[in-house]
Amino acid sequence: MARYVSIFFLAILVTVVLTITTLLLIGDIFSEIGILVGTIVVLLGSFIITQLFYIIDLLKKKIG
């Protein structure tokens, strides 16, 4: 289970770094609502990525 938690936080960390880098390059054109929606999308996307890794591991165990 710890593996999936670390995948979840790694995905969040990568997207936060990319978002900060993009904001520094482009400038502050996002409003507060845009940042809120982006945060929600990042959390849901990280959760989906983690669940996909879990499903892949389950399928590997059943096949092999």
Side-chain angles (χ1 to χ4, degrees):
M1 190 62 159
R3 176 181 177 195
Y4 303 112
V5 173
S6 47
I7 290 172
F8 177 74
F9 284 118
L10 181 66
I12 289 178
L13 178 69
V14 167
T15 52
V16 166
V17 168
L18 289 175
T19 303
I20 290 172
T21 305
T22 305
L23 286 175
L24 288 174
L25 291 175
I26 296 175
D28 193 22
I29 57 174
F30 296 110
S31 65
E32 293 177 10
I33 294 174
I35 292 174
L36 177 66
V37 170
T39 304
I40 292 171
V41 167
V42 164
L43 288 175
L44 290 175
S46 298
F47 180 73
I48 290 171
I49 290 169
T50 306
Q51 291 300 312
L52 286 173
F53 275 103
Y54 179 71
I55 290 171
I56 289 169
D57 285 344
L58 278 179
L59 290 175
K60 283 182 182 178
K61 286 181 183 178
K62 284 189 177 185
I63 291 174

